[in-house]
Amino acid sequence: MNFNLNFNNIAENYLFAEVANRASAYASSHVGSRVLKLGIGDVTLPLAPEVIKALHAAVDDMSKKETFQGYGPYEGYDFLRESIRGYYKSRGIELALNEIFVSDGAKSDLGNILDIFSTNNVVLVPDPVYPVYVDTNIMAGRKIIYADATAENGFLPMPDSSVHADVIYICSPNNPTGAAYTREALKEWVDYANREGAVILYDAAYECFVRDENLARSIFEVDGARECAIEFCSFSKTAGFTGTRCGYTVIPEQLKKGSCSANKMWLRRQSTKFNGVPYIVQRGAAAVFTEKGQKEIHENLEVYKRNAALIAKAMDELNIWYTGGKNSPYIWLKCPDNMGSWEFFDYLLNNAEVVGTPGAGFGKNGEGFFRLTAFGSEEVTAEAVSRIKKLLKK
Ligand code: PLP
């Protein structure tokens, strides 16, 4: 037996494990300290009442012979897929039901989708980036090339026609930088992908944070995307499902090469390795799309958006350069006084007892930058912002 030695090429510690280790080491050596966490991108508000109602009703369904559910469809129940289809339609995007696949979250699908692509593909990943894209490809031994996201391009790299790629990752609004592409900029990526015969893996996990009309919420708002893109989305940040687990992936029927259809291959992959999302969870997810459900989840999203605005305002006051915060729950800031990312992490932890995420953990271009999230409670965010302002005021 041989192990997959590609695992030797990934960092031993997942970034957030290292952040948690340092924060807990500080807390245990400083008894009585109150460390405030604006680090990991986890939500803090409970599920919407409409979702809870649907979850309870679904539990009751499972208690009765007439409504009990066993194995569900691999691709998700039609009641949820119809709701997702309606959600896209309300934004002017027509999808066929068989193009929508329900999953236990975007992270699994982003990793698992690689099953349908050859390991010979060249993968283009922005740097900095959500670490899952990089690590899953390293595990499979794929060649990765990077598109530099920097302060100069507003952390929104554009395609380079002199470089060929087969698989392209785009996350917009972006984790970690909070930067988001306009439709015009995405059109350049779509045209590039179609020219190169490449696929775009488009992560729309934060689409519901987009306020600006010029920014895209789905790659399928762009002409030509149905020929080259797969979109991943999640109820995690939209509706607080990080612990409940549900997401969906859209694979257009037009995404084909020769006799291979991405849609058919994914269904084949899912029916072989995946037995679906729990009925109860899917009922809860469907409630997100009801009129009341939408109103309630938007009330929660407003809290996070207010937190983001509060952090962004503090950066403006402190004269600190940043992206995000306006169409995203993330604020990506330049570390003051040219500090390195981990240096600033320790400085903030030791002097303000605030935890954020060092940009260097997201790629080499993240060095010197730092991510704060708006997913804390309003109280924690306000307190953390006031501590940061006190510490960094010149
Ligand atoms: N994609 C991005 C960009 C994320 O930041 C996250 C979670 O933080 C995910 C996907 C994972 O979403 P899920 O909870 O649906 O697995």
Side-chain angles (χ1 to χ4, degrees), residues 281-350:
V281 170
Q282 292 193 57
R283 280 286 178 204
V288 166
F289 297 110
T290 60
E291 206 181 316
K292 232 165 146 195
Q294 281 291 299
K295 186 172 162 285
E296 289 170 357
I297 64 151
H298 280 283
E299 279 162 15
N300 282 359
L301 287 168
E302 277 311 312
V303 172
Y304 299 137
K305 289 177 184 176
R306 276 202 298 276
N307 285 344
L310 190 72
I311 301 171
K313 185 164 163 270
M315 296 304 127
D316 287 333
E317 286 167 19
L318 292 165
N319 246 330
I320 291 177
W321 189 94
Y322 67 97
T323 51
K326 294 186 178 80
N327 295 285
S328 154
Y330 296 118
I331 288 87
W332 176 253
L333 59 109
K334 171 123 187 56
C335 300
D337 300 326
N338 287 320
M339 272 189 253
S341 296
W342 280 105
E343 192 186 352
F344 185 59
F345 174 91
D346 289 330
Y347 180 71
L348 209 55
L349 177 60
N350 287 302

Side-chain angles (χ1 to χ4, degrees), residues 41-42 103-108 110 130 132-133 171 173-175 203-206 233-237 241-242 245-247 330 371:
D42 199 359
S103 74
D104 64 345
K107 190 177 186 175
S108 326
L110 282 158
Y130 178 52
V132 171
Y133 312 153
C171 176
N174 190 271
N175 178 13
D203 188 340
Y206 298 96
C233 207
S234 168
F235 293 91
S236 285
K237 310 300 157 85
F241 272 58
T242 52
R245 308 303 307 144
C246 200
Y330 296 118
R371 193 192 77 173

Side-chain angles (χ1 to χ4, degrees), residues 248-298:
Y248 51 92
T249 292
V250 177
I251 311 187
E253 286 180 55
Q254 285 90 333
L255 184 52
K256 289 183 172 153
K257 197 162 204 174
S259 61
C260 294
S261 146
N263 182 293
K264 288 204 170 64
M265 288 173 78
W266 181 243
L267 179 60
R268 188 70 184 84
R269 188 269 172 210
Q270 290 295 77
S271 55
T272 304
K273 296 195 187 180
F274 184 60
N275 254 341
V277 178
Y279 168 75
I280 297 167
V281 170
Q282 292 193 57
R283 280 286 178 204
V288 166
F289 297 110
T290 60
E291 206 181 316
K292 232 165 146 195
Q294 281 291 299
K295 186 172 162 285
E296 289 170 357
I297 64 151
H298 280 283

Side-chain angles (χ1 to χ4, degrees), residues 313-314 317-318 384-393:
K313 185 164 163 270
E317 286 167 19
L318 292 165
V385 163
S386 122
R387 290 188 197 176
I388 292 170
K389 283 203 322 203
K390 199 164 147 210
L391 179 67
L392 300 181
K393 207 161 241 162

Side-chain angles (χ1 to χ4, degrees), residues 180-240:
Y181 282 105
T182 60
R183 266 174 224 105
E184 289 66 36
L186 276 187
K187 173 77 177 131
E188 287 192 38
W189 276 109
V190 165
D191 290 347
Y192 166 78
N194 280 326
R195 270 197 314 272
E196 298 292 321
V199 64
I200 294 176
L201 303 182
Y202 188 82
D203 188 340
Y206 298 96
E207 58 84 11
C208 55
F209 286 88
V210 171
R211 290 169 186 265
D212 188 336
E213 301 260 297
N214 298 318
L215 302 177
R217 288 172 57 192
S218 163
I219 187 114
F220 299 119
E221 291 171 34
V222 174
D223 275 352
R226 290 184 61 85
E227 283 71 33
C228 68
I230 297 178
E231 179 157 297
F232 301 84
C233 207
S234 168
F235 293 91
S236 285
K237 310 300 157 85
T238 322

